Amino acid sequence: MKLYIDVSNLIKVDFITGIQRVVREILMRMLDNKELELYLMVYSYQNNSFQLVNNQKFYEYFVSHSEEKEGILTAACISYDEIPAGSVFFDLDSVWNSRLKRSYLFPILKQKGVKIVTLIYDIIPITHPQFCHETTTMNFMVYLGANLQYADLIITSANATSKAINEMTDRLGIERKRIVVIPLGSDFTKKKTVFKLENRIDRTVKRIAQGKYILMVGTIEPRKNHSLLVDALEDGLADLGITVVFAGRMGWNMKEFERRLRNHKWLNQKLFFIRKPDDATVDYLYKHAFLVAFPTFNEGFGLPMIEAFERGTPVAASDIEVLHEVAGEYADYFNPYEKEDFIRCVKDLLEDPKRYQKKKEALKKFVPVTWDKVAKDMTEVLVSVGKRKERVSKEVKIKQMVVLTARNDDLLATLPYIEAFMPFITELLVCCPDKNVSELKRYYQGRIQLNFLTDSELLEGDPLPKDHTMRNFFLRCRIVANALVDDVFLMTDDDYRPLKRIVQEHFIRDGKYLAYYCYDLKEWQGTYGNPTSFDTSMKRSQEFLSAHNYPTLMYASHQMQVIDKKIFCQLLADYPKIAGKGLCDWSIYFNYGISHYPDLFLPVPYATVGWPGSKSDWNLYVQPEKYLFENFYGSLYEEGGIFEGFSKQYGEKTEEENLQKVVIYSKEIQEQMEAREIYRSYCEGYWMQYREIPSFVVICGINNNIVIHTPVYLQFKNSCWTRVPFTVDSEIVDWLGAKNIIVSYWFSSEENENITGADEVEIDLEQLEFSLPVKAPDFKEKGYFNLKVVLEEQDMVETVQIMVNII
Amino acid sequence: MKDLDLYSAVFDITTQNMEEAGEEFHLPKEAFLFMAADSPWKADIFQISKEKENAVFLEKGYLACLKRFCDEGAFLNWQKKFSLPKQEFQRQLMVSLINSEEYSRNYVKVYNHIYSQKNIFGGSLNRVQQASGGLNVPEKLLRVYRKQPKFLRKLERRILGIDK
């Protein structure tokens, strides 16, 4: 199983306490486990990706300190959207402070079918924010919110934390998460660690250890309540011959306490502060302490208590739920808000040596949880999450195709391609208006059996929506639920044609349904700035999917796709009113399916020639790796079209022509990608030069006029289409009342002579962000890009001229 | 529950816990929600320019450009300018942040930088080189027409039979 872990914080900090120690102990052991394919990573904001860690060097650095920290990182990077489906992303470091917020990362991982598991130590920044730095709390709120939405499993170290998380989800009114409790270990770092020998412990530490002292281990921060011990020392403990030792580092918001310590009359006499002690020193201090104190106001686990028990040292702990859960009857308890109660607790042990000895004897029976067990338990849980539980049965044989059509000619033209290239298809279920049936029966005489589901049968008296996409979605919802439809079938449109021999493995591979995607709905801007019915359907689908926390890849790839009827019907049962919402059937089905059955689906790039039909339509989000289907556009075969001269009908030359069409279309796509690459490197260069990414913004000026912000210069690839980001201020709509704007552009030479005509696009201001498709001139030269923005209703026009390099 | 609704609810619960402990947050909820929706590498200046409160814009600007909250020292400095008009405050902050050394080390990519003075056309702001060569004759006539007073435009429309 592939396991990805972000260790940015562990690598970044120069101390190993608390969470860093837990991360280290668990990872050391996981690295030994051959069952796991472990990828340790550090977020690199320079590349906006994860830099991979050399596991061997990581191990050596943290176990035997034989490596330099700088040598741990490799040059290899992995983008977070490259983490493969089916793998597990495991967060156990203190990642909430990371620049890569989980609110940003997790939706991307979910989109890709990656499982998310998080070890949540506590939710104190939420339940007791007064004990945390405000920015830590802010960061933690984002971290917890993301986990409550996206984590597949949460691990905690105590039931009290699980309970707090459940209370949180209940208050939020969302579904409870699956939580597993795995208590933390307490044995110090593993086998290879070289502990200092006792004679190498600092003399000061040894001298302190000769007396009777109360020890507190951990970062000094408000929540830990260190001042209680100083108060108790001043108010009676010192008289009893007790000293106090703090071992840790100074944390946040402790300036006043630090000052108190520094100026204390008993500092280094009865009160000691050992900064950033190493493991051996802490071990030594634990072993020789009279008592370990844990006066914390709130805690996630209380590791110092367990570490003390393991070394036979009694513990006095705060009387709070989580500490009772972790320490049980081994510890004595006191009210952390009352120093007198703490003094009472110490006195009880001090003045009753028999009781103290009994306590120490009892601790011999204490069986600590080892880090080996923790790592083993966590690995088991992670493997269970990452395990593929479901597969598409090998028995499944696709034989049925379901098509929704109102155009007999198109379907009749497509059928010979299916006959020739898809021999495993034996039945076509045609869903069409009643009037189409007789003609289809009359004209089609091929080998495929045609069955029909007519509009009247499907609608059963209900009205048919008028809008194209509303109608399609409505009908498809009804079709899938129909008894005539097989359990697993291919869904298609009447103009999706196979280009070559297609086999079942193009739809089901290694027990998974292939889900061909072409875009991310969140990125989809549609054709030009004028949303079509298709575009608005995509927008509605994105809103629906986001609102229900589903991934948002776009599967309207204009090609045949495999559908599992049971999953589609489950979708319809979960959302009974969905049929009337005019959504994208492909995107809704696949994102729903991937979310509920991640093991059954594999998202792959689409494989369609003719999508987009025209280079100017939209920028590619993903480049097809192969071409299996054609989205048939008759216009491409007409004069000036890229397939001019090829036959629109199936014939003897089809196979050969299809090969040529793939070559031509690939070239077109390649050119588009090159143009995009040129524009991307121009943006990078522009950013280096001006510290901003070039873009166009049309805003409403102070005097209710148009103001256009543009780049200083532009760069395009000659004779190619490039889409330029464009944003329109909402005040153009709100203040000026514009419903649309007309954007036109043309190129002129350095002498200001026009070298192209003007291209004009009318933009519907329903959409304030869009990409303007710009066709560069056919020749390479320097000149000007002229842009005109017109608000016709408002009688307003603004024209600008920008230097341009055509390369 | 939509993403931001959930974060908003988490913020409310935590704020309530804070208040029950007798303390309060200083950072605004709007900045927190902005952070929850923010990208680790991108800053859209036009998007945050919609913020009306200078104090909130300060935090959003820091989060967008430097990917962190404003530190105490900087806050005290910018607090003195909270009374400036919104646009001027925003402009000063953005210029300062984007020219800072920290920004240049941070690899954040600024989009839609409307406070950049490099190339702005139209309105009361700097007018750089205006294009005219691209306009054809009817367009030029249209421009002349548009510059005329409203009553004259109405009259011309009637003469041409556009308005009845």
Side-chain angles (χ1 to χ4, degrees), chain A residues 20-75:
Chain A
Q20 294 80 31
R21 191 187 300 166
V22 175
V23 177
R24 180 189 66 183
E25 297 303 331
I26 293 170
L27 293 186
M28 291 301 98
R29 284 151 181 90
M30 283 187 173
L31 281 167
D32 275 347
N33 190 332
K34 303 291 174 234
E35 198 182 353
L36 300 171
E37 203 179 315
L38 195 59
Y39 296 88
L40 304 181
M41 315 176 293
V42 170
Y43 177 64
S44 158
Y45 58 82
Q46 290 92 333
N47 307 315
N48 189 34
S49 62
F50 284 115
Q51 206 170 345
L52 292 175
V53 164
N54 180 320
N55 289 1
Q56 185 59 35
K57 288 185 175 177
F58 178 89
Y59 187 91
E60 282 162 12
Y61 175 79
F62 282 105
V63 175
S64 58
H65 306 283
S66 60
E67 264 295 330
E68 288 297 315
K69 201 173 185 180
E70 290 70 33
I72 291 174
L73 292 178
T74 69

Side-chain angles (χ1 to χ4, degrees), chain A residues 48 99 103-104 126 134 149-150 171 684 690-691 693 695 705 708-711 729 746 788 795 799-800, chain B residues 3 7 16-17 26-27 36 40-41 50 98 103 106 109-110 112 114 119 121 123 130 134 139 153:
Chain A
N48 189 34
R99 176 158 149 184
S103 53
Y104 180 85
I126 307 290
E134 192 168 342
Q149 278 186 97
Y150 298 108
R171 278 182 81 176
E684 282 292 318
Y690 297 109
R691 296 184 171 197
I693 295 292
S695 61
N705 52 347
I708 308 175
H709 288 261
T710 76
D729 189 355
W746 66 97
K788 187 166 70 170
D795 280 346
T799 311
V800 297
Chain B
D3 271 22
Y7 293 110
Q16 197 183 331
N17 292 338
H26 301 101
L27 292 165
W41 57 275
K50 297 284 167 193
I98 291 168
Y103 172 79
N106 249 353
K109 294 190 172 160
V110 160
N112 298 332
I114 57 168
N119 237 22
F121 297 88
Q130 296 279 316
E139 280 174 332
R153 293 204 306 260

Side-chain angles (χ1 to χ4, degrees), chain A residues 255-313:
Chain A
K255 275 186 184 156
E256 204 175 308
F257 181 76
E258 195 177 3
R259 206 174 303 123
R260 185 181 175 192
L261 271 189
R262 205 171 43 234
N263 300 328
H264 203 284
K265 57 182 177 181
W266 289 335
L267 185 67
N268 296 329
Q269 295 165 30
K270 293 175 184 176
L271 180 60
F272 301 92
F273 175 35
I274 300 167
R275 267 177 210 271
K276 297 181 184 176
D278 59 18
D279 285 353
T281 304
V282 174
D283 184 53
Y284 187 87
L285 285 168
Y286 268 133
K287 279 178 185 164
H288 293 86
F290 170 72
L291 183 74
V292 167
F294 207 56
T296 180
F297 291 117
N298 208 296
E299 203 58 44
F301 185 72
L303 204 52
M305 298 190 306
I306 306 298
E307 289 174 346
F309 292 157
E310 207 197 351
R311 287 153 186 84
T313 307

Side-chain angles (χ1 to χ4, degrees), chain A residues 372-395:
Chain A
D372 282 344
K373 180 169 174 7
V374 177
K376 183 173 164 284
D377 290 351
M378 277 191 194
T379 304
E380 273 173 20
V381 166
L382 292 166
V383 168
S384 77
V385 171
K387 215 173 195 173
R388 285 179 53 179
K389 295 182 191 87
E390 290 171 282
R391 279 169 163 267
V392 180
S393 164
K394 284 181 180 166
E395 306 299 313

Side-chain angles (χ1 to χ4, degrees), chain A residues 772-794:
Chain A
L772 181 71
V774 174
K775 171 84 189 298
D778 294 340
F779 36 85
K780 299 176 181 180
E781 74 166 80
K782 284 184 179 176
Y784 292 105
F785 175 79
N786 305 279
L787 181 87
K788 187 166 70 170
V789 173
V790 179
L791 300 187
E792 216 162 32
E793 294 279 310
Q794 289 69 26

Side-chain angles (χ1 to χ4, degrees), chain A residues 674-687:
Chain A
E674 276 172 30
R676 214 174 128 180
E677 186 51 33
I678 283 173
Y679 191 76
R680 196 196 62 76
S681 46
Y682 146 72
C683 289
E684 282 292 318
Y686 193 93
W687 177 70

